[in-house]
Amino acid sequence: MADLDTKPRPGASRRDFLRGSGLAAASAVISGPARAALDEAAAEAREAQDAVPVLSGQVKITLKVNGQERHTTVEPRSTLLDTLRHRLDVTGPKRVCDRGSCGACTTLVDGAPVYSCTTLAVSCQGKTIETLESFDTGPEGVPHAFHQNDGLMCGYCTPGFVTACKALLDRNPHPTLEEVKQGLNGNICRCGTYVGVLKAALAAAKSMKGA
Amino acid sequence: MASWPEHPRLIGTRIPRVDGMAKASGRAKYPSDVRPEGMLFGVMLYSPHAHAKITSIDTTAAEKMPGVKAVEVIAKAGATLRYQGDDIAAVAAETEEQARDAIAAIKVVYEVLPHVVTEAASMADGAPKIVNTGNVRKGRAITKGNVNDAFKKADATIEGTYSAPVITHVCLETHGLTAKWDDKDHITAYASTQAVGPTAAELAGTFNIPFTNVTVLTEVMGGGFGSKFGADLWGRTAAQLAQKAGAPVKMFLDRVQEHLAAGNRPSASGTVKMGATKDGRLVAMEAHTHGTGGVRGGAGFPLPYVYDVPAASRTHDDVMVNCGGARAMRAPGHPQGCILMEAAMDDLAEKLGMDPIDFRIKNLAPNDFHTPIYLGELAIGAEAIGWKENRKPRGQGGKGPIKKGFGVALHQWGGGGTQDKQVTCIINPDGSVELKSGTQDIGTGARTILAVIAAEILGLEVGQIKSNIGNSTFPTGQPSGGSTTSPSMAPPCYSAVTAARDALFAKVAPALGVQPADLDVKGGKVLVKGEPKLTWAEACRKLGTMPISELGKFQPGLASGGVGGCQFAEVEVDVETGVVRVKKIVAVQDSGLILDLLTWESQVYGGVIGGLNYGLFEERIMDPTTGVMLNADMEMYKLAGASDIPEIIVKAYDPPEQKARGVIGVGEPPTISTAAAIGNAVSNAIGVRVPVWPMSPRNVLNALAAAATEGKA
């Protein structure tokens, strides 16, 4: 867990936030250590101005998806999910709520699960993007456990559950049932497949251990 | 009369679904996943107002936007929009981002009209009339016996007011399709539908082309629950945009419009007066109920429900509100009827001082086929939940703030199949076997059970059967609704496979110098008088170049309808916060002969979890002032997550006489009584009736506060 937290995450950096919020400009009326910190941030921001271009219109990007370099054109507002689905035909991750509350779009970015519907594609350049299409479909893989334990019905939430489950087992290979529930709480199923999903997650943990 | 094998090898065992790996590996292509060459993205413009008239609509700017290829106006100037989410226009563009921009650039001037979005507002004196015929559509009063006289015989009478909210389907794959014109009068539609045939018919009718020119494909789909039986306006619009633009168009609703316009389960409210003699026999019921199905009505539900009430009178009003129209939702009407009936049953048992199970048993109709089923199921369920040892009388849920309670409820469902559907079974010379039918699998396992039947009859493994469904050009299959798919499809599948097997025997027997009647199949081999002689592949090779193709139709004796089930709930209620935790649910369900126990259990678990959502979390919340839905999303519209799932015990009630009834569907029955059982468990725990579903903290605390005011708690 600690490992994950130190990794850079997709999205805005502290620097971008300060620049965007106008706090740097307000530093004139602040004194002391706070001012020094803001001055430093403002300097960093000026320096960054050249390094981080402002994107608009159609942007050519390269994404590393499931081990392949994929080139496409997006808009700065295009989400990672829509880019994968609409431009690259990587349709494993699904669009369901489209606002980061149901987990059907879960994708691994640099190994960490993210809601790809609320992640911008342009922020994922240079990162490793994995969708469940790249997972091991053999008897030790998570998809196999979902299949055998009937952890799916209509199957539309399944990619998100499978990906969240893989991410959970990557960082905690020996989860208890409670930990599995916690690890999958960011995903919603409407058919009511949770019983099979929980069995599948525990079975996957077991077969990964070779037990 | 045909019959299922007496000692099946596969039928009734746990068989993983045949498309399970495709779904679990992300490789299954849903209708919303396909992207034919040159495909455009369609986006809908829908009403922001609950009730408005369009003064003017101008799409000029939108048409000139980058990437825009077609614009379709649905509601022209003068048209009335009757709910938030009502359709106005649609755009197709090269990217979805461009289509959304174009939607935003359509200039609409609205004349906002007065609205009503709650039943109270709609029924209030002086409410704006939103339907010409009046906001309240009075149903025909139904009376059985002399109710007033019957009530005089009652030793105990209760009168309760109970209600359940509107909920929405929340299909994870929203409504829609991808439309592709193959030429000027042939269309292929990848549709997220529960009915490929009717969807094809709707498109054929819309464009005045022959049914044979339409192909609707639904390889897999992301949930329907009763709300996806046609192309719908959105699908027809996609096809129109595709025609205009000369390119395929994908049109799937956004999550907000899905909540607003793509169907819902109507609410139910009512006053139920019910009386019984002191030995626990019901004598009379009088119920006045109402509900809303939005702008179209359709909020009826069965009452009395399950129990034998000698004298009953019932009135029901459909209340119109400026909200999207109701659609069938998993056992339409029954969950509502079950809540009102079972709450009243529990309250009356309480007043009589009787055990709720004993009271229920006393009031099952003596000559009804359900009655022995209920008796068997109640015994199993009571044992599994520990009713005798654990359940305390109402209000004795414990000393601390966390109160424990137990509840029970019964349900029934007709189900049963149609007798006119068809399946083709093809046996190829290379030994491959294919089933074809124009039904579809909405997540129930329909594709898998057909393969199970074929493998059973042909002595093969399930993986050797290609179960090819979800195509409107195949022999007519059953729409997936009413728990009718399995009982409609299993008999023609049996017929087709049996006929194909017999045709193979007829071809092979002369080559072996025996009679067809000497042949059998087992373990991938063809047997002569019980001795393995040929492998399946060797036998099929004798077909030469000509495959066998047999069309199977209905045969009597293989399917049936009509089920009863019961569910028990154990809950803990925190009377300080109002939070209800369901600890355990027991579901006992009959459904005749179970074909695949694994997918059968999933259906029952899923039904129970759907019922848990209805009992604890779900409600559509409308703002009476602005007329908009406040929780058209998936965070404030509450659905259970993994941590909300209690221990669920599923028991199949399938003694030999039940198996002998043949195949019966199970999609709907197990979702009916869960919410009622949970509500009864809550009142058992805290000592007062929570009359308003769901059992949310607010509704629980309100009930406790009301009881405190009345000096009851």
Side-chain angles (χ1 to χ4, degrees), chain A residues 61-72 80 83-84 87-91 107-108 124-131 133-134, chain B residues 27:
Chain A
I61 61 166
T62 301
L63 295 177
K64 194 175 176 195
V65 182
N66 296 334
Q68 284 186 317
E69 298 276 330
R70 304 285 305 268
H71 309 283
T72 188
L80 174 59
T83 303
L84 289 170
R87 292 166 167 91
L88 303 175
D89 288 320
V90 178
T91 55
T107 300
L108 303 181
C124 294
Q125 295 183 85
K127 297 179 181 189
T128 303
I129 299 158
E130 292 167 273
T131 69
E133 286 102 318
S134 70
Chain B
R27 286 169 175 76

Side-chain angles (χ1 to χ4, degrees), chain A residues 8 32 39 63 101 104 120 128 141 146 152 161 175 204:
Chain A
D39 281 349
L63 295 177
S101 43
L120 295 177
T128 303
F146 272 72
L152 51 92
F161 272 102

Side-chain angles (χ1 to χ4, degrees), chain B residues 620-683:
Chain B
R620 183 185 70 185
I621 302 170
M622 300 303 300
D623 179 9
T625 308
T626 60
V628 306
M629 181 175 171
L630 296 175
N631 58 343
D633 53 44
M634 289 179 71
E635 59 261 30
M636 299 313 289
Y637 190 95
K638 298 289 182 194
L639 292 169
S643 287
D644 298 308
I645 306 305
E647 180 189 1
I648 303 173
I649 296 178
V650 168
K651 301 255 184 200
Y653 183 70
D654 63 345
E657 72 271 18
Q658 284 303 317
K659 285 184 177 160
R661 299 176 68 201
V663 176
I664 306 176
V666 77
E668 278 148 313
T671 205
I672 296 170
S673 59
T674 323
I678 291 171
N680 284 344
V682 169
S683 62

Side-chain angles (χ1 to χ4, degrees), chain B residues 231-546:
Chain B
D232 275 319
L233 178 125
W234 316 298
R236 300 194 302 270
T237 301
Q240 263 146 3
L241 288 168
Q243 201 174 39
K244 266 191 189 172
V249 171
K250 162 149 68 184
M251 173 78 80
F252 284 81
L253 300 188
D254 65 24
R255 179 55 51 192
V256 176
Q257 198 184 11
E258 179 74 15
H259 271 295
L260 298 172
N264 54 69
R265 174 185 287 169
S267 59
S269 305
T271 306
V272 181
K273 183 181 167 194
M274 206 155 72
T277 58
K278 59 177 178 295
D279 63 345
R281 185 70 183 93
L282 286 171
V283 291
M285 170 195 253
E286 186 184 338
H288 302 283
T289 63
H290 61 86
T292 183
V295 286
R296 285 198 294 257
F301 58 89
L303 193 77
Y305 187 61
V306 171
Y307 304 101
D308 179 29
V309 187
S313 84
R314 160 107 191 267
T315 63
H316 177 79
D317 298 339
D318 257 15
V319 182
M320 306 298 153
V321 296
N322 290 112
C323 296
R327 294 184 175 199
M329 181 171 183
R330 218 165 172 175
H334 284 232
Q336 297 98 309
C338 188
I339 280 177
L340 267 69
M341 187 77 199
E342 288 289 24
M345 286 296 284
D346 245 38
D347 290 349
L348 188 48
E350 169 68 16
K351 188 143 191 190
L352 288 162
M354 278 186 80
D355 180 283
I357 296 181
D358 296 340
F359 180 53
R360 282 170 169 79
I361 289 174
K362 282 229 165 186
N363 292 292
L364 295 172
N367 298 318
D368 188 322
F369 78 95
H370 293 96
T371 296
I373 297 174
Y374 286 135
L375 293 175
E377 289 173 340
L378 280 166
I380 293 168
E383 171 80 28
I385 199 89
W387 185 265
K388 266 198 190 128
E389 313 85 87
N390 299 327
R391 183 196 171 267
K392 305 273 187 298
R394 185 183 280 193
Q396 298 177 24
K399 287 207 168 68
I402 310 282
K403 312 287 187 192
K404 190 188 266 289
F406 292 82
V408 62
L410 272 56
H411 62 257
Q412 56 189 231
W413 185 250
T418 51
Q419 304 186 350
D420 53 1
K421 298 306 181 293
Q422 301 174 337
V423 175
T424 293
C425 177
I426 299 161
I427 299 176
N428 290 302
D430 68 353
S432 60
V433 179
E434 183 179 17
L435 302 171
K436 280 181 159 181
S437 182
T439 187
Q440 54 287 307
D441 190 332
I442 63 168
T444 56
R447 174 179 279 114
T448 303
I449 58 153
L450 298 181
V452 169
I453 292 168
E456 180 78 52
I457 294 170
L458 298 177
L460 300 172
E461 294 308 317
V462 175
Q464 290 175 271
I465 312 295
K466 183 171 172 57
S467 187
N468 202 354
I469 59 174
N471 184 324
S472 64
T473 68
F474 290 172
T476 306
Q478 180 72 357
S480 304
S483 300
T484 62
T485 315
S486 295
S488 300
M489 299 313 301
C493 182
Y494 173 99
S495 303
V497 178
T498 306
R501 180 199 63 190
D502 292 347
L504 178 70
F505 287 170
K507 281 272 189 187
V508 171
L512 294 172
V514 297
Q515 294 301 310
D518 297 331
L519 300 179
D520 199 0
V521 278
K522 198 177 176 183
K525 301 261 169 42
V526 173
L527 281 55
V528 178
K529 294 181 180 163
E531 290 299 314
K533 280 283 186 270
L534 295 173
T535 65
W536 173 260
E538 285 165 354
C540 293
R541 225 171 284 145
K542 299 202 181 296
L543 294 173
T545 55
M546 189 61 196

Side-chain angles (χ1 to χ4, degrees), chain B residues 94-116:
Chain B
E94 284 170 1
T95 72
E96 194 178 34
E97 290 88 344
Q98 291 169 335
R100 284 180 183 166
D101 288 347
I103 282 294
I106 296 175
K107 293 191 187 79
V108 187
V109 179
Y110 301 96
E111 179 197 347
V112 177
L113 303 171
H115 64 255
V116 290

